Amino acid sequence: MTRTITIDPVTRIEGHARITLQLDGRGQLADARFEVLEVRGFEQFCLGRPFTEMAGLTSRICGICPVSHQLAAARTGDKLLAVQPPEAAWRLRRLLNLAQILQSHALSFFYLSSPDWLVGWSSDPARRNIFGLMAADPELARGGIGLRQFGQQVIERLGGRRIHQAWAVPGGVRSPLSADNRAWILAQLPQARATVRRVLDGYKRLLDGPLHHEQRCFGSFASLFMALVGPDGRWECLDGDLRLVDSRAQVVEAALSHDAYDTFLGEVLEGWSDLKFPYYRPLGYPQGLYRVGPLARLNVCTAIGTPWADAELVDFRGRGGTPASGGRIVTAAFAYHQARLVEIVACLEGIEVLLQDPRILERRVRARASLNALEAVGVSEAPRGTLFHHYRVNEDGLLTAVNLIIATGQNNLAMNRTVAQVARACLPREMGATATIPEALLNRVEAGIRCYDPCLSCSTHAAGSMPLHIELRDASGALLCERVRDGC
Amino acid sequence: MDLVIGIGNPLRGDDGVGALVAAQARSLAAGANRSRLNVLVVQQLTPERVLDLQRVDRVLFVDACLQASAPSLQPLAVAPPDALAQGLSHRLEPAELLALTALLGGRAPAATLLRLPVHALDHGQGLSQQARRQLPQARALLLQWMNGHA
């Protein structure tokens, strides 16, 4: 007797989605789907707008990663103007992106994911959230909130507001950094570093203990990994070569062309999800599955380039690197969490390096020009992975075509694979007709999605205010049993 | 140290009234040479604001309120623990933020809500005529709170 288990909605992620698990007649997993149930529509309603508005428009795609879209849009605008922003503008954009990645990773790690392992996988859902974390470990919660606030404050000091600021523009940025703001940011770094060091120490104890299995096996499968890299293949967040490596650490593509992304990336729209499925064209769909984001960036880069972050990268690979890759590539999705902490370290060190260079205060921060190209692609690394903004404009600079390849979408195939893998591992051997759906199964499957920290919608996230309704139905659609949870 | 937090979206008509009135606190404080007053203007309350509340003795939240017919000051209590069990949103109510502050730091500041009536929430900047007419009363209540009479 076949059955369908539906987890709707998936909680503690950004956006709205459900998971459907299809069991065959033996109660074994036959299919798993991560279904995204919202449509943003930006690719359509931006048509006809001046390309110069896109940094402001697309930053409103999301309230968590507005900076990412703003930077990608500004980069695309650079190319449409055919200008090279001044060096100071590049440094300031990088500073902005490092702050953005830091605050976004803090949100993901502390608010959304850590309650699972700090409050408990099978704990009461009413407590398995940031409030439960505050009760269980107020010091950790305070540190996480502080890190997020620090990143937001850097963004605010650069661009005037924490969310939806209008600072990065085609040609550069609107204003230079003041000496006062530079001094203020530098003064906050020691506390931020101390917080991250405490968190890393505590998290590594968990990885050595109760999370040892997850670090190696949870959501683990071979895949390609894609990310930007800088000189010598170093970790990069803003611009550089687009590189693809496989699970054996072989470089599949060393420097893919940003402008020709559609020659190597294809997109498929499945009927059961509103989120597109990008894939690597040479391998076809769905074999061309690839992953982006923190795990991919750490797998693709040769090194990060700052001392503490490089030491953490060595630890990261030592814990989860596979034998097939000589310990170089980590394939478990669960390792995204440690990867985020490593990247927070990289961001803190990167911010300090930028601020210690007096050129960060240079006043020339914007190049100006008229329209000089009718098509361009801007690429940057968002917290969740590589982000593409592709615009075509007419002679008046009005948009005639927009294609956005969002980081989360590029992980869509991988998220579906992870859900299947985790469900297969967690399902009881026999799911009888009256079997209760274990709470541990529900949360573990959701946690598989949380590894990727998906950002599925604009700016709202309401975990706990949406009830969780699980239904078990037989092949005829008759309801066998159901569970309703008011919030988690 | 006192804190005034204006809440609202200035691109949604009267929803921006909280931000407008809170911003007036800055000029009032400067005119009265009050250095122990901070003013924040936010689109919505998020958990990070806990760190701002932990450092203050009194806080005034200024927000548009659909149920309000006239500007008024309302003392705020900390939300009960059960309310927090409903989960996390990017948008917190003032009482929930106070509860988070108490949970994390053992105490919450004395809190008041300046409720401002709304009449139009259409997309766009600027207040409705009705909202503008009530600004003097709102300003008087703001001053009352700043002077410690509320």
Side-chain angles (χ1 to χ4, degrees), chain A residues 237-374:
Chain A
C237 71
L238 193 62
D239 194 29
D241 292 332
L242 198 53
R243 184 161 295 176
L244 208 62
V245 304
D246 67 16
S247 290
R248 291 171 295 118
Q250 300 300 306
V251 177
V252 175
E253 300 277 4
L256 291 161
S257 162
H258 297 191
D259 295 332
Y261 76 94
D262 53 351
T263 63
F264 54 85
L265 293 184
E267 295 180 276
V268 166
L269 195 61
E270 298 277 7
W272 43 267
S273 177
D274 293 325
L275 185 62
K276 293 185 283 187
F277 286 83
Y279 66 99
Y280 178 58
R281 282 188 188 276
L283 295 183
Y285 178 84
Q287 292 80 6
L289 180 160
Y290 66 96
R291 291 189 265 189
V292 296
L295 180 67
R297 285 192 288 261
L298 295 193
N299 279 338
V300 170
C301 76
T302 54
I304 295 177
T306 51
W308 182 17
D310 276 330
E312 293 301 335
L313 181 61
V314 169
D315 179 274
F316 173 78
R317 288 172 176 168
R319 287 176 189 278
T322 62
S325 67
R328 172 73 172 69
I329 301 292
V330 178
T331 56
F334 196 83
Y336 266 97
H337 300 307
Q338 186 184 5
R340 284 188 190 96
L341 292 180
V342 176
E343 288 201 325
I344 287 176
V345 173
C347 289
L348 289 174
E349 290 190 306
I351 288 171
E352 184 166 20
V353 168
L354 283 168
L355 293 177
Q356 295 289 12
D357 187 334
R359 292 176 295 176
I360 198 71
L361 297 177
E362 286 176 354
R363 311 295 292 173
R364 291 193 179 86
V365 294
R366 188 171 180 179
R368 296 177 186 272
S370 301
L371 184 67
N372 286 303
L374 299 180

Side-chain angles (χ1 to χ4, degrees), chain A residues 93-110:
Chain A
R93 284 183 179 180
R94 185 176 301 279
L95 182 61
L96 183 70
N97 207 17
L98 291 174
Q100 157 72 358
I101 291 170
L102 187 156
Q103 66 90 15
S104 177
H105 283 358
L107 172 72
S108 172
F109 186 88
F110 294 97

